[in-house]
Amino acid sequence: MVSNIAGGRPPQHGVEPGTQLGALEAYAAQAHGYLSAGGDQLTQLAGLLRPVVLESWLRSVRGGVDPLDPLDGRGLRGADLQRYREAHPIATLMPLIDKLLVQDTARTGLIVVVADQFGRVLSVHGNPDQVGAAAEIGLRAGDDLSERRIGTNAVGLVVRTGRAAWIHGPEHFLHRMHLVTGAAAPVHDPDGRLVGVLMIAGGVRVAQPEILALVKAAATAAEMDLLLAAMRSTRHGAAGGHALDAPASGRLGLEVLGLGQPQLSVAGDRVPLSQRHAEILLLLTEHLEGLGADHLALLLDDTDLDNGTIRAAVSRLRSVVGPTVFGSRPYRLRVHVATDVEALRAALDSGDVDAALRLYAGPVLPRSTAPGIIDIRDELRVRLRTAVLSSGDSGVLRRWTAGAEGRDDAAAWAAYRATVDRDSPLYAQIEAKIRVLDRRLGADATWMQRSGS
């Protein structure tokens, strides 16, 4: 039956919602059969799924997401969710979102999902019955819709790639979401950082081009609103000569990449941070669910810091960033703190290796020996290097090999050589560099063999 749908060919990468839906559903259902079989059967997925969906499925498999994952109670709830939602930059956009999306979709039986830059649902809007039905499959305020948590879905894809996305029915990795279609678009701040995601979700009616166009238009309007607000803020600051209150404005930034001293930006003003304070703040941005004192101690020092030392360090950090930026039991951010780590990840997720390389001023807190920081540092470096090597871009490879991280990276030099004309003088220079690295590697191997003998 599948081979007779749409000429026996799966929907292609650029297919718009509303087209080839029968084929898409049949192929995706067959793909789930191969997924359940596992092992060598996973190689069959390539012919059945749109490329963007296939890549997401494979990441979901590698991440250990279970397609049969049941709904659980994890997520932000109650007062914690309320505080986080009210302090988030997207909160200022809700009147606009309500006007452009919520008021109309509520009458059509569709729902609007508003998520943060990590894929956590801030709010769900629509007819109460439809909102309740959505909650039963995991579209609830406070839930994590990131790809690493629930696999392929429209919000998770936007967070991962930075681009608008739609996912129809069985294209979702989780079985419990197979009756849902979602069309989602990113909202970026004036600096280009992802701050949130808007999604319209419902049945097959969402798989229409105009629905994706509508949510993209709303996201663009939200971005313009943020830009106008930033311009008004800049003019007000120039006229009034005073900084905004950081927690109220949500404009906090943390810079931890490179050899310089960590910096906290508060409404445009930069404040130097100690290494320990930068470590704590970065770890809290990485763990929005919060960290208990014991867990934070392990991430900071695997030789066992005591809770009293942690409490003292956190107390001193509060005196720097303000008393309302994060709460206790567990320690958890109450406002959004934008980081250069987050911006770098967003560039990598969107496939913009050139931008990622520009953002990469150096390793994350390079002097830190905290286990949690080392994990972040290693993850970013490996992701960036992998993206650089896979780019095939001569300019990107040139910049990487010119920097401290890539200067002695033999694989990067070989990839760079492959982008250069063999008859050019540059090719000969790269070839000479590779020979030097090969000799050095051979000498190191010989030394290690002799040392071990």
Side-chain angles (χ1 to χ4, degrees), residues 4-345:
N4 293 326
I5 300 175
R9 298 182 60 192
Q12 299 303 301
H13 176 66
V15 67
E16 286 293 325
T19 62
Q20 300 179 297
L21 289 183
L24 185 151
E25 292 168 3
Y27 284 121
Q30 187 175 351
H32 274 283
Y34 288 126
L35 183 65
S36 299
D40 294 340
Q41 295 298 308
L42 293 178
T43 60
Q44 304 296 321
L45 298 179
L48 299 170
L49 299 168
R50 291 185 287 146
V52 67
V53 177
L54 172 63
E55 292 167 6
S56 178
W57 272 41
L58 294 178
R59 288 192 298 267
S60 302
V61 170
R62 290 194 296 268
V65 180
D66 181 359
L68 299 177
D69 183 38
L71 189 63
D72 57 36
R74 284 183 288 183
L76 281 179
R77 300 285 183 259
D80 289 334
L81 173 62
Q82 185 69 15
R83 283 193 296 268
Y84 181 67
R85 180 165 51 209
E86 290 175 353
H88 197 276
I90 223 78
T92 63
L93 300 172
M94 287 311 302
L96 177 68
I97 294 169
D98 181 73
K99 180 179 179 180
L100 295 179
L101 291 183
V102 175
Q103 292 179 12
D104 289 335
T105 55
R107 293 192 291 266
T108 64
L110 304 178
I111 62 170
V112 174
V113 176
V114 181
D116 71 5
Q117 71 275 25
F118 306 108
R120 186 176 299 280
V121 178
L122 297 173
S123 55
V124 182
H125 308 268
N127 178 284
D129 292 338
Q130 299 301 326
V131 171
E136 293 178 1
I137 63 166
L139 293 178
R140 301 172 296 184
D143 279 6
D144 183 355
L145 300 187
S146 66
E147 190 181 81
R148 64 183 178 185
R149 172 66 186 89
I150 68 164
T152 306
N153 70 95
V155 169
L157 264 182
V158 172
V159 171
R160 177 82 188 184
T161 66
R163 298 188 292 270
W166 67 281
I167 294 294
H168 175 61
E171 286 188 311
H172 286 93
F173 195 75
L174 293 190
H175 283 243
R176 58 179 160 89
M177 300 186 74
H178 281 190
L179 296 180
V180 178
T181 298
V187 177
H188 297 94
D189 71 9
D191 294 326
R193 293 184 294 260
L194 182 69
V195 294
V197 181
L198 304 181
M199 178 174 74
I200 294 178
V204 71
R205 281 181 298 168
V206 178
Q208 299 175 4
E210 54 266 32
I211 297 296
L212 183 61
L214 174 63
V215 75
K216 289 167 68 174
T220 299
E223 291 176 344
M224 289 301 298
D225 205 56
L226 288 175
L227 178 59
L228 290 172
M231 292 171 64
R232 287 193 296 267
S233 174
T234 300
R235 288 196 296 268
H236 175 72
H242 62 275
L244 295 174
D245 176 67
S249 68
R251 296 177 61 199
L252 288 175
L254 177 65
E255 298 174 20
V256 293
L257 291 172
L259 292 170
Q261 183 174 16
Q263 299 280 334
L264 179 72
S265 60
V266 184
D269 293 331
R270 293 161 62 85
V271 179
L273 285 180
S274 71
Q275 177 145 293
R276 178 46 51 90
H277 286 166
E279 290 170 345
I280 293 172
L281 200 52
L282 179 60
L283 289 170
L284 290 177
T285 68
E286 295 281 307
H287 295 269
L288 291 180
E289 72 281 7
L291 291 169
D294 291 338
H295 191 180
L296 182 56
L298 287 174
L299 292 173
L300 288 171
D301 189 345
D302 56 12
T303 60
D304 193 20
L305 284 174
D306 62 76
N307 287 358
T309 303
I310 293 295
R311 283 194 295 270
V314 170
S315 177
R316 289 192 293 270
L317 176 57
R318 273 202 180 95
S319 68
V320 176
V321 301
T324 62
V325 169
F326 55 88
S328 302
R329 299 190 185 94
Y331 298 119
R332 177 186 294 151
L333 287 173
R334 290 174 173 163
V335 301
H336 173 61
V337 178
T339 71
D340 48 4
V341 168
E342 171 193 347
L344 176 57
R345 282 203 187 105

